[in-house]
Amino acid sequence: MVQDCLERAIARRRLFRPRGPVRPWLFTILLNLFRNNLRTERRHGTSVGLDDLAVELTTPAPQHGHIELAELARAIETLPSEQKEALLLIALEGFSYGEAAQILGIPQGTLMSRLGRARAALRASGGNTSKPRLRTVK
């Protein structure tokens, strides 16, 4: 700011009237520069570097997720009711295999078989095996 003040004073030295000291004239120039900078910052806002931003600048389009969910819902609706019940109890409700088998009144092995077939059918209907899969148990 001081350098700008001296630069402006030298460029406009013909405006200085040698009636008094130079110092008050320089302080007037400095004060005017300061006020101009304040007005400019208020008008333009402060600039922030991209590295300083903690916020993600772009957001992914929500349509792709909605389409995938709709396709998954359609694929689940095409499953036989036994497989659909097993899948929804385990994947959606979060029950353990034992709890889900008890709710359905079937042996745990039967539940696991239905769940495996349901997951295989969903994978086959999706076509893309690189997408995240439903939870599997080893």
Side-chain angles (χ1 to χ4, degrees), residues 1-136:
M1 185 76 74
V2 174
Q3 291 174 346
D4 293 335
C5 173
L6 291 175
E7 181 182 321
R8 187 170 283 196
I10 291 170
R12 290 173 175 79
R13 64 183 173 266
R14 61 181 169 18
L15 298 176
F16 176 67
R17 296 186 184 100
R19 284 181 281 189
V22 174
R23 207 172 160 149
W25 183 63
L26 290 175
F27 277 124
T28 303
I29 293 173
L30 187 63
L31 180 64
N32 289 338
L33 282 172
F34 177 73
R35 288 177 180 162
N36 289 344
N37 282 340
L38 283 179
R39 276 189 226 111
T40 303
E41 283 181 10
R42 222 177 289 137
R43 201 172 332 123
H44 297 293
T46 56
S47 60
V48 178
L50 290 178
D51 297 334
D52 297 335
L53 291 176
V55 186
E56 182 67 29
L57 295 177
T58 61
T59 55
Q63 293 90 352
H64 190 65
H66 291 295
I67 292 171
E68 284 183 357
L69 282 176
E71 288 175 356
L72 181 63
R74 272 186 244 120
I76 289 174
E77 289 300 319
T78 62
L79 293 174
S81 63
E82 304 88 32
Q83 292 177 10
K84 189 186 325 180
E85 289 172 346
L87 181 71
L88 294 178
L89 284 174
I90 299 297
L92 188 64
E93 297 294 333
F95 287 113
S96 69
Y97 288 156
E99 292 170 338
Q102 220 174 21
I103 290 170
L104 294 174
I106 57 174
Q108 190 170 339
T110 305
L111 173 80
M112 292 173 70
S113 174
R114 289 179 184 175
L115 190 59
R117 282 181 282 159
R119 287 176 175 160
L122 289 178
R123 264 189 249 114
S125 70
N128 189 354
T129 58
S130 66
K131 291 183 182 176
R133 299 181 193 177
L134 296 174
R135 185 176 64 177
T136 58

